[in-house]
Amino acid sequence: MKREFLNEPWRKIASRRRLLLLILVLTPALVAASVMGSLLPHRGTTYLEASIIFVYCVLFIWISLGFWTALAGFWTLLKKDDRFAVTRSRGELDAAIRAHVKTAILFPVCNEDPERIMAGIQAVWRSLIRLGAADRFDIHILSDSNDPDRWVQEQAAWSRLCDDLSAHGHIFYRRRRVNLKRKSGNVADFCRRYGAHYTYMIVFDADSVMSGETLIRMVRIMERRRNVGILQTAPACTGRETLIARAQQFANRAYGPMYAAGLHHWFLGDAQFWGHNAIIRVKPFMKHCALTRLPGKPPLGGDILSHDFVESALMRRAGYSVWLAYDLEGSYEEVPPNLLTELKRDRRWCQGNLQHLRLVFTRGIFPGHRALFLNGVMAYGSALLWFLFLALATAAAVTEAMVQPDYFTPSKSLFPVWPVWDPTPALLLLAGTAVILFLPKVCALLLALIKGRRKQFGGFFALCGSILTEVILSTLLAPVRMLFHSKYVFLTLMGMGIGWGTQQRDDEGTRFWDALRFHGGGTLLGLVWGVAMFQINRVFFWWSSPLVISLLLSIPVSMLTSRAELGRIFRSMRIFTTPEEVRLPREYEDIGSYMQSIAEDRTSFGIPPEEGFLRASVVPRVNTLHLSLLRGPRALSPEIELRRDGILDKAMDNGPQALSKKEKKELLYDGQRMKKLHEHIWELPQDVLEKRWKVRLD
């Protein structure tokens, strides 16, 4: 550990703040649990009621953490100056970038839309060019795509981008043949091969965008503060049109800055790394942040999926601080376009976060990062606890309905002792829970008004309407998310792993049969649960009716919220307006222009870009490009030679439709046979060329 970084002034402050947070969270939770116990028929003396009280207490702690984080952020943003903000220069200018310093911008991709990726890259590069700083940066596209058509499409899109920007030698493309450890392995592979050439690297997601001003500012902060190992921005969500995506974008922009400032307040230099839109000091990252495999089998063993929190903990253990630049603008990302895509992503995140249970007590990890590990676990574990609480409460309601009440005391008495129920504690508990859940939203409204940002959200009435609509929508979706997250946690703990599919990033709506397949079980559960409770315990039914209604409406709500046209209708009413919609960032203007130019020139010989293998076989320029990016000739075993000759003959005789994806990929690895296939195709008669290889020469 670096000794000069051990006695920084923020460390004692952070410890005191976290102790205060612990008191603020535990004290109300214990009081709330006590009140809950007093409301139960047996005052918590039975095992069932004791379990209800315990689970309720844990859940109250969880929601209290969010509440106090929001209030801390509210206070931080209200202050004129935050002396611990990593962006604060203390009267000095940010350090100039040293002459030898070079920064790599990494775009790890896997079967994504190459045209959208290149559009984002060109926007970032043009932003740097406008500032005259492009020579300080290189961009590396790190592909893990295993789809043969995507592979070739990426190569062609990259080549076109470099030609358009005259950026050969600054924008690089490399595809891994073996996809070890997914994104973290992709970044680690870059570090082994090229890390020594760079002082910093800025990691993006496929849909990430940053302004040149932000990129340069991040490098200068790292230059000024040599003890910072990772600097994480708080990305603004933008770019989507569906209703649910626009609601999440609004929540991110209205509430997100407050929560980000709150996280900074409690953690300071022990902050988290979210895996993207962050700058990393390369040398200590390579030395200290290599990830090993967890012992045992997946899902809780094997490769670490949620690598980002682990890497920040290892960087901190090495003596470097990790900061959240909560007030740094110009960093953007996109959200899932529909509920099903969000839930698919959450299953992967759930498994990765649950792996952190095995890392909480890792030697040398700082307390702040142990807390972040537990926080990540509770992000999904809380759903299972909520489901358990509902199950226990249902069991208690059924028990009370089935058991005949006895109002006579054990001692002899002529008169019964009638129960007396005081509604005051229940109302206080309900009011306290409502304050914890909804006061942060009121604070976000006040903050927008105080800071003069209401016009960025469409005006005062539009802002109020957006908050109210977001509350209604999130209330409808919360039980659905709870049910899925509970299932994910349960399946993971039972040893059932997940796949790693490509994320949907377009605004295509959810079809009825997909919604029925995903939400049919939850709808049936809500129906059975509601009918049973209506018959057995009418009071409990009305208490739980919001959850029942949410599950019953999950199919239509999932479909409607996935519609871009509905999102546009809400936009016309200024509901869910965000600052990026009021004033579109220059980078997104460049993305739109680039996508439009590509749309006007998408085909070559009548073959669209999505037909990557076909283009590599037919189009001379694409074939030459693909061959130039392959390794040199390699000696092959007779078995492989024979198999590949068979694949080549099949392609020549029957065209690309006769090949499987595996066969296409194997042929693409073989430069000699791809060249032979290309030459064969252009020797064919024109009618065969058009019929078998879909080539139009007119």
Side-chain angles (χ1 to χ4, degrees), residues 156 159-160 163 604-605 615 618-626 678:
S159 178
R160 170 175 175 161
D163 291 341
S604 182
F605 297 102
R615 283 166 60 86
V618 173
V619 182
R621 180 179 60 82
V622 179
N623 181 267
T624 302
L625 172 66
H626 178 73
H678 177 70

Side-chain angles (χ1 to χ4, degrees), residues 314-325:
L314 294 176
M315 182 69 82
R316 188 71 193 97
R317 185 174 70 173
Y320 291 86
S321 56
V322 180
W323 289 87
L324 173 59

Side-chain angles (χ1 to χ4, degrees), residues 113-120 122 153 160 240 334 505-506 587-602 610:
D113 178 6
E115 295 176 354
R116 170 60 183 82
I117 294 167
M118 301 308 159
Q122 67 85 30
Q153 191 182 358
R160 170 175 175 161
R240 295 264 64 92
E334 294 177 359
R505 298 192 189 275
D506 55 38
E587 290 71 30
Y588 276 86
E589 291 179 0
D590 290 340
I591 289 174
S593 300
Y594 193 82
M595 293 296 287
Q596 185 176 358
S597 68
I598 290 176
E600 294 170 356
D601 182 23
R602 284 179 49 84
E610 292 79 11

Side-chain angles (χ1 to χ4, degrees), residues 104 106 140 142 144 174-198 201 281-293 303 311 631:
L106 309 185
H140 290 260
L142 310 177
D144 266 346
R174 180 177 183 276
R175 177 185 172 274
R176 287 199 302 170
R177 188 163 184 165
V178 180
N179 304 344
L180 292 175
K181 297 185 178 180
R182 302 180 178 88
K183 180 179 177 179
S184 64
N186 206 351
V187 173
D189 183 76
F190 164 82
C191 289
R192 284 190 297 269
R193 294 174 181 273
Y194 312 110
H197 300 291
Y198 299 98
M201 61 181 180
R281 201 174 295 273
V282 174
K283 189 174 180 180
F285 183 84
M286 293 173 60
K287 183 177 181 180
H288 302 290
C289 299
L291 300 180
T292 59
R293 288 176 59 88
D303 293 336
E311 288 162 345
R631 298 175 181 174

